[in-house]
Structure formats: C-alpha cells, structure tokens
Amino acid sequence: MKTHIIKYSFILVAAMLIVSCKKVGGDLNVNPNQPSTLSTGLAFTSAIQFIGGGGGGATTDINSAAGELYSQYLSETFYTNESRFQLRQYDYQPYYTGPLQDLQYVIDFNTNPDTKDKVTTISYGSNNNQIAAARILKAFIFLTITDRWGDIPYSQALQGSKNLNPALDPQKDVYTSLFKELTEAQAQFDDGAPLSSDILFSGDNTKWKHWANSLRAIMALRLSKVDPTTGRSEFQKAITDGVMTSNEDNATYKYLLELNNENPYFNNYRSRYDYAISATLTDFLESYNDPRLPLYAAPTSAGTYVGLVYGTTGDDLNGVNIGDRDNPGNISQIGTAYSSQNSSTIWTSYAQVLFTQAEAAHLGWIPGGDAAAATFYTQGITAALQRNGIAMGAITTYLAQPQVVFNAANAVEQINTQKWLAGYMNNGWESWAEYRRTGFPHLVDPVPTGLTPDKKIPRRQQYPQTEIDLNKANYNAVIARQGPDLQTTHVWWDK
C-alpha cells in the first residue's frame, strides 16, 4: 500500500532535474542520459491526458462511466453494481499522485528563481502562461473532487514531507479558495511565448481565460441555495471578466485514432459492451422529437432506437441483446458519434454556460429577468444542437415545440433539462452535480433495484479506504463536521 507521503506529495523525478555540470566536450561530469532542461511541457500534457482518460482509470477520468451512470445517460447491460450504487468507496488518490502532482511541478519550477528561466528555454511558454494554465487546470480538478466527495484535502495537500497527514478542508473553504485561484489565474496570462504543450486549447490564452471564468460562473450558481449572496456576487464578477462566447471556446478533449489515447467507450466496445443508452434518455429525446437521438444512440437490428431501463438486472436482463459493432441487437448502443475511437468529449461547453446564464437571469442575478433568461435558454439549445451538426432549419422547428418554448413558471426545470440533454457523454460528474442541486431533470430516483438502503441516487461518494487507514484523525474530524461517510450525506452546497 502507498504511504501518505506518496499520496499527497509531488515527486521530482531525477530525469527532470537541472544538469549543473558544464557542457564541455569530454567532461566526465556530464550525464549523457539526463536532459539539461525541465520538462514542464511534458508534465502539463500528462495532466491533461490523465483526466481525459490516459491514466486515471474508471473512477478518475472526467469521462468516467460512473458519472454517466449517476446522470442516467447510460444503463449497464451485464455487471450492474455501479448503476445500482453498490460501489460506494471511490479513490481520489490518483488525482493527487497524477495530474495535481504534475501541475504543482509546473507551477513550482516556473516560480523558483533558480529554475524559472530554464523551463522556457525550449519554448514551453512564458512563466506566467504556464503557471496560469496550470492553476486553472488544478482548480478544475479540485472542483471535480470536492463536488464528488465534499470536504477534501486541499490547503495542506501536495506539501510532501512537510505534511504527511493533511487535513480535509470544508467544501465551503475549498470553493472560496477556488474562486480566488481562478480569478487570479485568468488575470495572470501575459503576451509572452504561448503554451506549446497545450492539447486542450492549443496555446490560446483567451480560451483559457474564458474557461476559467466559465468555471467561476458554474461554481457560483452551485451556491444558489446554500449561499445565494456570495453566488450572485461571484457570478457577476465572472461574467464581467468574460465567459465562453461560442462553441469554439468549448473545453474539448480530443481522443485520437491510436490505442494509447482513444475514447474509452470505443475500447469497451471492443469486446465487453457494458453500456447501452438508457431508456431515461431515449424517453426524453423522443418526447422532444429531438434530432440528436440518432447521434446519441445507435440503431437496433430493427432500425429503431431502444433504451435500456435504468437499473435493469437479474431475470429482466434475459433477452437483452446489445449486439456488437457490426451486428446490432435489440437495445441501442452508444451512437458512433460518441463512441468512435476518436470521438471527442467536452469538459465544459458554451451551451452549458448559456444555460447557466439563463438560470442566473431567472434568479435575478444578472439584468434582464425572464426575458434575458429566455434568450440565453434559446441560445443554449441552439449551441448544443449546432455542436452536434444539426441544421438551422431543424433547430428552428425544435425550438417552436410547445414543450420546448421557454415558460418562466417552469424555468428551472426547462433550463436544467436542456442542460442535461446537452451534457450527454461529456462531463457526467457535472450533470450529476446539477441534478443534486436542482432535482432536474426527472430521473429514475429512487432506483427500484438500488443496492443502498434508500435506493436513491447518491448525494456524494464515500472516502477511499486509505483515508481511514492512514489519516484516521483527520478522517474522524471530517466525519464529525460533514456527517457520516455515506452516499446519503449531502455535500455543503446540496440543500
């Protein structure tokens, strides 16, 4: 078992240390196998790839099946324990030992006077640009962690041997720190060399700023019930600083036509076929005459689109046939637009930000009231459909349907249902968080076959066993403050 020092430390690999020896021909002190520059670019790219699925595994990828299952975009076909909530303890250790460690490495070596000049030698980007992007990506990861578990190691994490048993910070304090971190980071970019190892935004500082501010707006709306005063203030500041303005700003992780960086559902469909599109989703799509249905779902052998009832298990799975890539069955697989080897995923979308602004306008947080809310709502639907290649004529027809036309009396449900529809197969953790905050859309909850006492969709995930075994005092302290370490315990903002 790994010790706590490994769990929360960033480790400087010998191959990444500066060579202090002279570069003189024949100098016996020169190690020819050791690089003379610091690979902050490699560390930064590694962090992005990790959370995209290049090392995090099923529980830490942003595109994780657990997030999609909790949000009921997918149903499990054979091994149904996760969709019925039997898996309770999830491990956040890989976040700390993987991307957070890498990003702290980038920040430290771009800050240290002894190394800051050397990390730009091979054009990884200016010091400020590297630090700013690393801070934003760190904040995004910490936001994902705290929204899944609640109180988490934050202020005392990543300190190495200085603190082997970090305390778990209250989620309220984590949110306060992340607002500050994102605000400062988006203002830190300069006109120096752009990032050269940026596989997320290709070194575009403006897109990084828009993403940081969009995350601030999303976080602010998360406080709509627990602390609306702070939420309103932070939301307005984020909008002033500038959020996403088009689908070109989407935080898109691009999978490739290669085994080491491919869409995880393409990999699953090589042989296992663990996931089908859920009947929850197909029912919504059909009720809205939604043109995304043939994109979200693959046709069955009969040429129809059939979702699998969420939580189906036991004898009810008899006769369920998802087929394979070449021979479809009687239940729809994930559509090829979302399950091909190089199908991209979106961590934060322009459409999501528009829906966030729609709800904020409805709440009176920004000017315009429900008239502005209707505009943002319509723009959000349009952006989501356009991102899926839907023609403008079909979009106009969709928007004209009575069940789609904005209704102020039903605004929160409409906005969040459309936000959920737009979030399919992207960042399921985000959709799960918004469901907990608003109760929309109407999912199957409780799940009749659920394996927890209340059979309801979890409100959080339980801490990893390593916290109980290696950090007992701090674990006990957080349980006393936050509540029992159970899936039914609500996180701070979930009121």
Side-chain angles (χ1 to χ4, degrees):
M1 179 177 291
K2 296 182 179 179
T3 63
H4 242 353
I5 186 170
I6 296 176
K7 180 175 179 182
Y8 294 113
S9 303
F10 61 90
I11 303 170
L12 305 183
V13 181
M16 293 182 175
L17 294 176
I18 304 171
V19 175
S20 60
C21 309
K22 298 178 181 179
K23 292 187 176 181
V24 179
D27 191 337
L28 296 178
N29 290 321
V30 174
N31 181 352
N33 298 316
Q34 187 169 325
S36 59
T37 56
L38 298 168
S39 187
T40 54
L42 177 61
F44 187 75
T45 302
S46 175
I48 297 174
Q49 288 180 321
F50 185 104
I51 58 176
T59 64
T60 51
D61 301 348
I62 296 301
N63 198 21
S64 164
E68 304 298 321
L69 291 169
Y70 282 12
S71 302
Q72 295 188 9
Y73 293 123
L74 303 180
S75 293
E76 289 183 300
T77 56
F78 304 112
Y79 306 100
T80 60
N81 289 344
E82 191 158 37
S83 59
R84 294 188 295 137
F85 323 129
Q86 185 177 45
L87 181 57
R88 303 174 188 182
Q89 284 185 313
Y90 285 79
D91 191 3
Y92 49 46
Q93 176 176 310
Y95 282 119
Y96 289 91
T97 59
L100 291 174
Q101 172 184 293
D102 287 338
L103 294 167
Q104 189 63 51
Y105 163 81
V106 172
I107 293 168
D108 289 345
F109 275 85
N110 276 280
T111 304
N112 189 330
D114 295 330
T115 58
K116 60 187 295 187
D117 293 335
K118 297 179 177 63
V119 297
T120 60
T121 302
I122 56 175
S123 301
Y124 290 133
S126 71
N127 295 127
N128 280 336
N129 289 341
Q130 290 189 62
I131 294 169
R135 292 175 75 183
I136 293 168
L137 197 57
K138 266 185 68 179
F140 174 63
I141 297 168
F142 273 123
L143 177 61
T144 301
I145 300 173
T146 190
D147 283 346
R148 289 176 63 181
W149 283 275
D151 297 2
I152 59 168
Y154 181 77
S155 62
Q156 296 180 10
L158 305 174
Q159 293 184 4
S161 59
K162 294 179 181 178
N163 190 343
L164 305 184
N165 295 290
L168 282 73
D169 295 62
Q171 186 178 52
K172 179 180 180 179
D173 295 346
V174 175
Y175 260 66
T176 299
S177 296
L178 293 181
F179 279 126
K180 180 176 182 293
E181 187 75 0
L182 287 166
T183 301
E184 293 177 354
Q186 63 88 33
Q188 190 172 2
F189 289 99
D190 61 26
D191 295 327
L195 299 172
S196 64
S197 299
D198 176 13
I199 59 174
L200 196 60
F201 292 119
S202 301
D204 189 323
N205 289 351
T206 300
K207 290 183 178 180
W208 276 101
K209 293 177 184 179
H210 285 175
W211 188 35
N213 298 328
S214 297
L215 290 173
R216 291 164 60 195
I218 290 165
M219 290 172 56
L221 190 60
R222 200 90 86 223
L223 309 188
S224 63
K225 294 180 179 179
V226 69
D227 188 358
T229 300
T230 299
R232 185 174 188 268
S233 174
E234 291 292 345
F235 195 96
Q236 292 174 347
K237 288 187 286 186
I239 297 300
T240 298
D241 285 338
V243 296
M244 293 177 174
T245 60
S246 75
N247 279 325
E248 295 300 312
D249 279 347
N250 290 342
T252 304
Y253 184 81
K254 302 176 181 67
Y255 294 105
L256 304 176
L257 294 171
E258 63 175 44
L259 185 64
N260 292 325
N261 191 20
E262 63 184 9
N263 185 291
Y265 296 97
F266 177 85
N267 182 38
N268 182 267
Y269 278 4
R270 276 196 170 93
S271 59
R272 290 176 59 92
Y273 293 89
D274 290 324
Y275 308 105
I277 191 170
S278 76
T280 308
L281 180 56
T282 56
D283 287 349
F284 270 104
L285 293 169
E286 289 169 349
S287 69
Y288 284 101
N289 300 303
D290 199 305
R292 290 169 290 193
L293 178 58
L295 299 171
Y296 284 8
T300 65
S301 57
T304 56
Y305 301 97
V306 181
L308 178 61
V309 173
Y310 188 84
T312 300
T313 187
D315 292 341
D316 291 334
L317 281 172
N318 293 336
V320 169
N321 177 18
I322 194 173
D324 57 40
R325 223 176 237 124
D326 299 319
N327 300 290
N330 58 12
I331 294 291
S332 291
Q333 301 173 20
I334 300 166
T336 55
Y338 288 84
S339 62
S340 294
Q341 189 174 20
N342 64 338
S343 295
S344 298
T345 189
I346 297 177
W347 297 346
T348 308
S349 73
Y350 172 52
Q352 178 185 354
V353 176
L354 287 167
F355 290 128
T356 299
Q357 291 176 88
E359 188 175 345
H362 174 70
L363 293 173
W365 286 11
I366 54 178
D370 282 325
T375 299
F376 284 124
Y377 167 79
T378 300
Q379 291 174 340
I381 294 173
T382 301
L385 293 174
Q386 287 179 331
R387 176 166 56 81
N388 282 277
I390 306 301
M392 198 61 220
I395 294 174
T396 301
T397 300
Y398 182 84
L399 290 169
Q401 297 180 97
Q403 67 269 38
V404 176
V405 173
F406 183 80
N407 178 359
N410 199 32
V412 175
E413 179 177 356
Q414 281 189 309
I415 292 166
N416 284 283
T417 297
Q418 287 292 338
K419 185 191 289 187
W420 176 77
L421 288 170
Y424 172 69
M425 297 302 291
N426 289 315
N427 185 347
W429 299 123
E430 178 63 31
S431 295
W432 175 46
E434 287 298 271
Y435 171 73
R436 287 178 285 159
R437 181 180 68 86
T438 67
F440 299 117
H442 293 295
L443 302 179
V444 178
D445 192 15
V447 176
T449 61
L451 296 173
T452 53
D454 64 358
K455 301 183 183 298
K456 294 181 69 66
I457 294 172
R459 310 307 293 193
R460 62 179 291 275
Q461 293 175 319
Q462 294 179 205
Y463 291 117
Q465 189 64 35
T466 48
E467 287 293 3
I468 302 170
D469 293 340
L470 302 175
N471 200 14
K472 187 68 172 178
N474 286 316
Y475 173 81
N476 288 339
V478 78
I479 299 311
R481 179 179 66 237
Q482 180 173 251
D485 187 14
L486 300 172
Q487 294 166 303
T488 53
T489 296
H490 290 223
V491 298
W492 166 68
W493 52 255
D494 179 15
K495 304 297 179 184

